[in-house]
Amino acid sequence: MQLHKRDVVAAATSLLDDYGLADLSMRRLARELQVSPGALYWHFANKQQLLGAVADHVLAPVGRPSGDWPSRIGALCRQVRDALLSHTDGAELVSASFAAAESTVMADVVGQLTDAAAEAGVPATNAELTARTVVYYVLGFTVDEQSRRQWDAAGADLPDASLLTDDQDTRFDFGVRLLIDGILARREQRV
Amino acid sequence: MQLHKRDVVAAATSLLDDYGLADLSMRRLARELQVSPGALYWHFANKQQLLGAVADHVLAPVGRPSGDWPSRIGALCRQVRDALLSHTDGAELVSASFAAAESTVMADVVGQLTDAAAEAGVPATNAELTARTVVYYVLGFTVDEQSRRQWDAAGADLPDASLLTDDQDTRFDFGVRLLIDGILARREQRV
DNA sequence: ACCTGAACACCGTTCAAGT
DNA sequence: ACCTGAACACCGTTCAAGT
């Protein structure tokens, strides 16, 4: 039967979860789907674009939270982090796809955060920069968290994972609040 | 004559500047140095470790600024950004090496920023997280800036680069101030 | 329109063997 | 101690040719 984009993305996601980003190659994916490597290039221009589609699939649970601007920022940050932690190397994948501008969901997240920053009173020229600063934090924090998590999971007597998880939630929120307080301080002085 | 670590790093840096990170391979580097690929593995455990050494070479101009904590943070951020912009794909290289914990200079920068955060009054448990948040911003911002810069440089009628450069300096400083203000707000409440 | 087969031009890493 | 040569096990991408 015919190969569809969504089948390719689904197979790629399962390879990601089972073997990690380093072992997610075009050739291996083709083998899994029982097609020739070239077939993938009918559906995707290149590997980066395919990974962008996988990133957007990972980010599918991220929504459009409502409320005042600080709680919207908080909710969005938590939703992105949770989505990344749900897949092996999810943070690394999304981080790379964001840098390559291949994730439409991350572009939308930046849009939502830009609106929140504008609502907070950040000058229009700096609202998107403010949004990106929040994204850099979420991605940086989660890449780090996930690499430690996965390193612990492989070997090493893990010292009660649940306690550390609570700790990481608290630490993550600390950074989000630091950013929100920074935004508050950088509002336009309107006399 | 014998191959030394510093020769390898120097040759790698010049390949980086001339052809970019994607074309900096172990095999190409060996060819440039007129040794067999295996020779590099006598001096470096793997490619990541070698790239970490190159990252530290790129970061060599970063110093240990003095002054009060906000100006130390500001100076450090500017120094790191300037160093990254001085080499092709410098930001991407250092970002990857930092994530892989292969750059001792970036580890030192985090140390300096942690001290600054502690001096600002951030609780000890969150001082390092605060420091890493600043680093995520500097790396994220500069990766983005450099990729746009290099995209413009290759083809496209660049609309007077100098004006945009001033603009980028101002934008960078805005983010740094946002973080400093966030740190100020997250000081321990000592009555 | 969609895919195969085969090729092109590479990779990182290892390791017996040499000097 | 330091390096070579050769191998192992792969890559991403392209494209004429097929259906």
Side-chain angles (χ1 to χ4, degrees), chain B residues 6-121:
Chain B
R6 84 185 89 87
D7 307 322
V8 177
V9 171
T13 306
S14 100
L15 275 183
L16 182 72
D17 283 329
D18 295 349
Y19 307 101
L21 188 58
D23 288 336
L24 175 42
S25 69
M26 296 299 267
R27 283 170 175 277
R28 185 158 184 180
L29 179 56
R31 210 189 309 139
E32 208 76 8
L33 290 162
Q34 298 185 92
V35 295
S36 96
L40 298 173
Y41 289 87
W42 180 259
H43 300 278
F44 299 92
N46 49 46
K47 188 182 182 181
Q48 256 192 6
Q49 193 175 99
L50 190 151
L51 291 181
V54 179
D56 280 347
H57 186 237
V58 165
L59 293 166
V62 175
R64 306 188 65 89
S66 58
D68 56 10
W69 68 264
S71 47
R72 293 213 306 282
I73 292 179
L76 224 30
C77 289
R78 274 186 293 275
Q79 284 177 22
V80 170
R81 171 166 169 259
D82 288 348
L84 306 190
L85 292 178
S86 303
H87 297 270
T88 309
D89 294 335
E92 207 184 321
L93 167 73
V94 171
S95 197
S97 297
F98 175 63
E102 292 285 5
S103 166
T104 59
V105 177
M106 283 311 291
D108 181 76
V109 167
V110 169
Q112 288 190 67
L113 291 170
T114 303
D115 291 346
E119 192 179 316

Side-chain angles (χ1 to χ4, degrees), chain A:
Chain A
M1 59 258 113
Q2 261 225 61
L3 196 59
H4 283 104
K5 267 185 144 116
R6 86 185 87 85
D7 306 322
V8 177
V9 171
T13 306
S14 101
L15 275 184
L16 183 72
D17 283 330
D18 294 348
Y19 306 100
L21 189 57
D23 288 336
L24 175 45
S25 69
M26 296 299 267
R27 283 171 176 276
R28 185 159 183 179
L29 178 55
R31 209 189 308 139
E32 208 76 8
L33 290 161
Q34 297 184 96
V35 294
S36 97
L40 298 174
Y41 290 87
W42 180 260
H43 300 278
F44 298 92
N46 49 45
K47 189 182 181 182
Q48 256 191 7
Q49 193 175 99
L50 189 151
L51 290 181
V54 179
D56 279 347
H57 185 239
V58 165
L59 291 167
V62 175
R64 305 188 65 89
S66 58
D68 55 11
W69 68 265
S71 47
R72 293 212 306 281
I73 292 179
L76 223 32
C77 289
R78 274 187 293 276
Q79 283 177 23
V80 170
R81 172 167 169 259
D82 287 347
L84 305 190
L85 292 178
S86 304
H87 296 271
T88 308
D89 294 334
E92 206 184 324
L93 167 73
V94 170
S95 196
S97 296
F98 175 64
E102 292 284 6
S103 165
T104 61
V105 176
M106 283 311 290
D108 182 77
V109 167
V110 169
Q112 289 190 65
L113 291 169
T114 302
D115 291 347
E119 192 178 316
V122 171
T125 38
N126 288 314
E128 200 200 314
L129 170 57
T130 302
R132 285 198 286 116
T133 301
V134 174
V135 168
Y136 297 148
Y137 168 71
V138 173
L139 295 179
F141 182 97
T142 313
V143 166
D144 212 68
E145 177 184 13
Q146 192 166 42
S147 86
R148 289 173 207 273
R149 232 186 250 273
Q150 291 176 179
W151 197 86
D152 290 354
D157 47 324
L158 45 167
D160 199 359
S162 59
L163 280 176
L164 284 169
T165 301
D166 286 1
D167 204 48
Q168 284 295 84
D169 287 356
T170 310
R171 291 162 65 70
F172 182 71
D173 285 344
F174 177 90
V176 173
R177 280 205 241 145
L178 186 152
L179 290 164
I180 289 174
D181 285 336
I183 292 169
L184 258 158
R186 307 248 33 87
R187 284 169 304 178
E188 210 161 18
Q189 316 300 76
R190 27 187 167 197
V191 192

